[in-house]
Amino acid sequence: MQLNDARMTRVNLSGVEIRGAALYGTRLVGVELSDVVIEGDLGNVVVNGVDIGPLVDAELTRRDPLYGELNPPDAEGFRRAWAQIEQRWADLTERARALPEETLHANVDGEWSFIQTLRHLGFATAAWLQRTVQGDPNPYRPLDLPWDEAPDWPAEWNMPGDRTARPTLEEALAGRAARQDAMREHLATLTDDDLTGSVTREEPGWPAYPDVPVHLALQTILVEEYQHHRFATRDLETLTAGEKED
């Protein structure tokens, strides 16, 4: 749905859920916001004259210092952040291994299941590391899962996207481990000079953007890994809450 440059007055948006939306240059004037939840990237978001983005970043960093390391200034910072992210995922995966397979396929409030999350992270690493940075024109595997609002890519691109697939945890982890290895190996030899470069991918497929900064491509993976670990942890807590009470 395209609502670019729409003008809405005297509208009631109570109970509305908006996903995968682009809100650039948007103005909300004379609104009443209560019980509103926003999950996304904030940049120059001004509420009653206050840019809340830096305030939110400061609070999230206070709660978890790793959040403040997701935009590393140098190659060593990338290696340090990735090592912490990998350890967190290793701990969460061990917890997942002890849960019934059905729990790992369960969705909470329409979000991805644990196994779907692993599949999506494989897609993210394939897209931003293996294709964008390393130049593999088609690094995807059949179980990789793009974001839900991904476009209908041409069939000849052979892009993955079966949300209904139900691989076992071990099947999902096999692809996941290969992508984690690829990221770790790439960061092992990453230099500060590498981070100042940019790449353009014109081969059929996605992503295919001009002049993508290497730093941005690799940072995208850090953010994806961090945020989806947060979401997966939250949802497993919800799914196992009854077990703790027992």
Side-chain angles (χ1 to χ4, degrees):
M1 178 183 299
Q2 298 298 319
L3 295 175
N4 307 61
D5 301 320
R7 295 292 181 269
M8 304 181 207
T9 58
R10 296 191 297 276
V11 296
N12 187 339
L13 299 177
S14 301
V16 168
E17 181 170 315
I18 300 174
R19 291 175 178 263
L23 300 175
Y24 300 111
T26 302
R27 288 175 56 82
L28 307 177
V29 180
V31 298
E32 298 178 6
L33 276 77
S34 178
D35 300 322
V36 174
V37 176
I38 299 173
E39 289 279 358
D41 297 326
L42 305 181
N44 193 29
V45 178
V46 179
V47 177
N48 293 336
V50 179
D51 183 357
I52 65 171
L55 303 179
V56 172
D57 284 344
E59 174 60 16
L60 291 176
T61 300
R62 184 192 68 79
R63 295 182 183 184
D64 181 4
L66 177 54
Y67 179 86
E69 298 183 37
L70 298 180
N71 186 21
D74 52 31
E76 187 55 38
F78 270 95
R79 286 187 279 272
R80 183 170 57 250
W82 180 253
Q84 295 178 72
I85 288 170
E86 272 206 292
Q87 184 58 58
R88 290 190 182 189
W89 269 108
D91 295 342
L92 188 61
T93 299
E94 280 307 302
R95 178 184 172 191
R97 288 183 190 277
L99 298 175
E101 195 85 10
E102 284 304 308
T103 299
L104 303 181
H105 284 295
N107 305 104
V108 177
D109 294 331
E111 301 291 347
W112 283 328
S113 69
F114 186 83
I115 288 178
Q116 287 171 330
T117 297
L118 298 180
R119 295 171 56 201
H120 174 67
L121 292 175
F123 178 89
T125 302
W128 295 107
L129 172 66
Q130 294 173 308
R131 177 177 163 89
T132 299
V133 176
Q134 296 181 336
D136 184 340
N138 188 14
Y140 302 106
R141 299 179 176 211
L143 287 177
D144 290 344
L145 186 65
W147 69 107
D148 282 346
E149 299 80 18
D152 293 327
W153 289 304
E156 59 267 23
W157 288 8
N158 197 31
M159 297 289 286
D162 183 4
R163 188 175 183 183
T164 64
R166 289 174 65 87
T168 66
L169 175 62
E170 295 308 318
E171 288 171 336
L173 286 174
R176 167 82 168 138
R179 267 37 180 289
Q180 287 179 304
D181 291 346
M183 183 68 169
R184 190 185 321 109
E185 291 167 5
H186 186 86
L187 294 182
T189 59
L190 184 72
T191 68
D192 292 350
D193 286 343
D194 292 335
L195 291 173
T196 65
S198 62
V199 290
T200 296
R201 296 296 169 220
E202 298 179 341
E203 306 89 346
W206 188 91
Y209 300 123
D211 299 322
V212 177
V214 171
H215 183 283
L216 177 61
L218 296 177
Q219 184 202 13
T220 298
I221 299 171
L222 293 186
V223 173
E224 285 278 311
E225 291 273 348
Y226 178 90
Q227 294 291 14
H228 284 292
H229 177 274
R230 183 167 68 89
F231 302 150
T233 301
R234 174 200 64 196
D235 291 348
L236 285 185
E237 288 289 339
T238 299
L239 291 167
T240 59
E243 298 174 10
K244 291 182 179 180
E245 293 174 3
D246 294 341

